[in-house]
Amino acid sequence: MLWSLLKVALFVAFAAAIAWGASLVMETSGHVQIAFGGREVLLSPLDFIIALLVLFLLLWVLLKLAGFLVAILRFLNGDDTAISRYFDRNRERRGLDALVDAMIAITTGDGREAMNRAAKAERLLPHRDLTRLVAAQAAELAGNSERAEALLREMVESDRTRFAGVLGLMRRRLAEGRRDLALKLAEKAQALRPGHREVLDTLFRLQTEAGDWAGARQTLQAMVRARHLPRDVGARRDAVLLVAQARAAEQEGRTDAAREAAAEAIRLAPALVPAAVTAARLKAAAGDRRGAERILRRAWAASPHPDIAAAWAALEPEESPEARLARFRPLLDANPDHPESRMLAAELALAAEDFPAARRALGDLPETRPTARSLALAAAIERGQGAPERVVRGYLTRALGAPRGEQWLCTRCNHAHAGWAPTCENCGAFDTLAWQLPDRAEAPPPGAALPLIVGAIDADDGTGPAREGEGEGEADDATGTGGEARPESAEARSA
């Protein structure tokens, strides 16, 4: 508002000054005499001022015409002029329009139109970095692999687009299945952009697939620093990597490095079963049996698992069933009510031929939690106590169709594994194996459902109903054990 008032005031003052000056000139007496070429011209002061203004206007027009002629000559000579700038602006405008059309075609999935528009933009625009980027995307969309490859390689040569070029080449190598080259490109891309999420995820996946556990740990730390992973998840995955690194070092004979990695894994994830088993095995191999037992007892208290029981049994492989039952007592007391503890106690009692103790330990698991293992244990107990064959066969028949119980399952693809591994053997995902029940019940494969029973079953595989009149004597003849079944050692399955 104030500025508007000031402008109005200045305009009024300027108009008043011109009017005053004009009136002053008109009131001035005399004339202006101009003589040249033998001629004289007399002008009043006002006419003289008007003549000067006209003269100045003609000089300005002449100067502009001269400048225009010079600009034409410079344009024809190739110099930068107003004319050339005009044509350049027009060219740039058409190039930008083509570039926008190419990007719209890429968004809509029209590869051929995108390539045509991108090629036009490349011809019209001087910004090669931008046009190469769009042209590479268009060529990729249109399926022109050779063109896309060439453009990506050109992008790598430019400092401004080097990362985008390396990233594009990495994606192409992954699509082609050339994972070794993709790994090298991912490492180069990570050096250019240390915190880029896609690069870090791809590099980590390729390193774990290649078994480069040390490199994967460095990448994992970079992911945590870039806040792509929570610290607790990073610690868990670091523990898994350390377990894999310890196993690799153990296979290579580097026991000191293996023990150090396993100890660090236990520190990061005390409840990780593979870490506890690996650390205990390495400590036992080094002569520290007490330390191995301490690790296994702590892990069993957190989460009972057959692998822990197998590792505990391996601490003293040459012992009698009675001695093994006594040695396992501290482990069982660490978590006595867990189903795994109860089944383990039943197996140990069966191995020692203490069938009443085995029945007490197993309890109601065959009814409340029927699995192939619990039902097989129940069948073994019944056979050991001399139950009729039809009772034993009833448990065996149920065991053949019962779920196997907890397994190492990939939480991403639901693939079952025979043992724990850092990566899924089916989908390649890292740290997705969990000890859990399958989503759907699956019957165990033949020969795997009854790991504890010794002795042949009748020709009908025990799946048919018992024949009438069949008694204990016939069951004894069928088993060939003289009425007393001898189940396999309780640790034969776990050890």
Side-chain angles (χ1 to χ4, degrees):
M1 186 67 178
L2 292 176
W3 175 241
S4 299
L5 292 175
L6 181 60
K7 288 191 293 183
V8 170
L10 290 174
F11 176 77
V12 172
F14 180 71
I18 292 177
W20 178 79
S23 63
L24 184 64
V25 171
M26 291 179 66
E27 293 175 357
T28 303
S29 60
H31 59 272
V32 178
Q33 182 180 5
I34 301 174
F36 65 93
R39 298 182 64 182
E40 292 184 359
V41 178
L42 296 176
L43 298 173
S44 66
L46 182 59
D47 294 337
F48 176 72
I49 293 175
I50 294 174
L52 285 177
L53 292 175
V54 172
L55 179 62
F56 287 143
L57 181 60
L58 290 175
L59 289 175
W60 180 82
V61 172
L62 291 175
L63 289 175
K64 287 298 181 181
L65 288 174
F68 180 69
L69 293 175
V70 172
I72 291 176
L73 293 175
R74 292 178 60 190
F75 171 72
L76 296 176
N77 194 41
D79 296 338
D80 184 22
T81 63
I83 297 177
S84 63
R85 287 193 294 272
Y86 168 77
F87 285 107
D88 288 343
R89 284 195 298 270
N90 184 53
R91 182 186 182 91
E92 184 176 6
R93 180 183 57 79
R94 291 186 291 122
L96 290 175
D97 289 342
L99 189 66
V100 171
D101 292 339
M103 296 177 69
I104 293 174
I106 291 174
T107 304
T108 57
D110 190 348
R112 184 179 297 276
E113 178 68 14
M115 282 195 66
N116 294 335
R117 295 296 179 177
K120 182 178 179 181
E122 283 187 286
R123 291 194 305 269
L124 297 175
L125 291 177
H127 310 292
R128 292 293 297 160
D129 291 339
L130 178 59
T131 55
R132 268 197 300 258
L133 181 61
V134 176
Q137 294 179 354
E140 189 76 28
L141 180 62
N144 193 339
S145 300
E146 295 182 0
R147 176 65 174 162
E149 183 82 14
L151 288 169
L152 289 172
R153 291 185 179 277
E154 290 180 13
M155 291 169 60
V156 173
E157 301 300 324
S158 173
D159 294 337
R160 194 172 186 179
T161 58
R162 180 171 291 117
F163 174 74
V166 173
L167 186 62
L169 290 173
M170 180 194 74
R171 292 169 178 167
R172 289 185 58 80
R173 297 300 170 266
L174 286 173
E176 295 168 359
R178 303 168 67 180
R179 308 187 82 78
D180 51 343
L181 294 179
L183 175 58
K184 295 179 181 178
L185 289 169
E187 292 172 348
K188 186 174 182 179
Q190 198 266 339
L192 294 172
R193 293 279 184 88
H196 194 271
R197 183 163 199 155
E198 180 186 354
V199 171
L200 289 174
D201 290 343
T202 303
L203 178 59
F204 183 79
R205 184 175 72 253
L206 294 173
Q207 286 172 331
T208 54
E209 290 178 358
D212 183 9
W213 310 118
R217 288 193 66 202
Q218 295 179 358
T219 305
L220 180 65
Q221 293 169 5
M223 295 169 71
V224 174
R225 285 195 302 268
R227 298 185 180 181
H228 298 325
L229 284 177
R231 291 193 174 274
D232 55 343
V233 177
R236 155 79 187 196
R237 293 188 177 183
D238 195 17
V240 174
L241 290 172
L242 284 165
V243 174
Q245 189 174 355
R247 290 184 174 185
E250 183 182 12
Q251 292 178 355
E252 296 170 0
R254 297 184 290 112
T255 55
D256 292 340
R259 281 195 297 270
E260 182 178 352
E264 180 66 13
I266 285 291
R267 186 188 69 81
L268 293 174
L272 184 60
V273 171
V277 171
T278 302
R281 182 175 65 251
L282 291 169
K283 278 189 173 293
D288 187 5
R289 176 172 170 175
R290 188 180 299 275
E293 290 179 348
R294 183 169 57 252
I295 292 172
L296 293 175
R297 192 182 299 115
R298 189 183 301 118
W300 186 272
S303 178
H305 194 278
D307 291 348
I308 301 175
W312 187 277
L315 295 177
E316 190 66 45
E318 303 295 336
E319 62 182 348
S320 64
E322 293 77 11
R324 176 160 292 186
L325 178 60
R327 189 171 64 85
F328 264 80
R329 184 53 54 190
L331 189 69
L332 297 174
D333 292 341
N335 203 332
D337 297 327
H338 195 277
E340 186 63 39
S341 297
R342 294 168 63 183
M343 286 187 287
L344 176 61
E347 288 185 5
L348 293 168
L350 279 173
E353 299 184 6
D354 188 352
F355 302 109
R359 181 183 292 277
R360 288 193 301 271
L362 189 62
D364 59 351
L365 283 182
E367 287 72 32
T368 60
R369 198 172 180 272
T371 63
R373 184 180 174 195
S374 63
L375 292 170
L377 287 170
I381 293 171
E382 294 295 341
R383 177 169 288 176
Q385 289 188 317
E389 185 67 15
R390 62 179 178 273
V391 176
V392 177
R393 286 187 177 182
Y395 279 113
L396 296 183
T397 301
R398 292 176 59 193
L400 287 172
R404 298 183 63 183
E406 288 87 348
Q407 304 173 62
W408 286 115
L409 292 177
C410 175
T411 56
R412 177 172 296 181
C413 67
N414 207 37
H415 179 73
H417 295 69
W420 179 86
T423 57
C424 175
E425 64 185 20
N426 183 53
C427 66
F430 176 78
D431 189 27
T432 56
L433 267 66
W435 184 254
Q436 62 185 22
L437 289 170
D439 293 337
R440 58 187 178 88
E442 294 182 358
L450 311 175
L452 302 175
I453 305 301
V454 175
I457 302 177
D458 285 346
D460 61 357
D461 293 332
T463 57
R467 295 184 301 271
E468 292 187 10
E470 192 175 34
E472 292 185 13
E474 293 175 85
D476 295 342
D477 293 338
T479 58
T481 57
E484 184 173 293
R486 292 186 177 271
E488 197 177 25
S489 172
E491 278 65 48
R493 176 181 181 273
S494 57

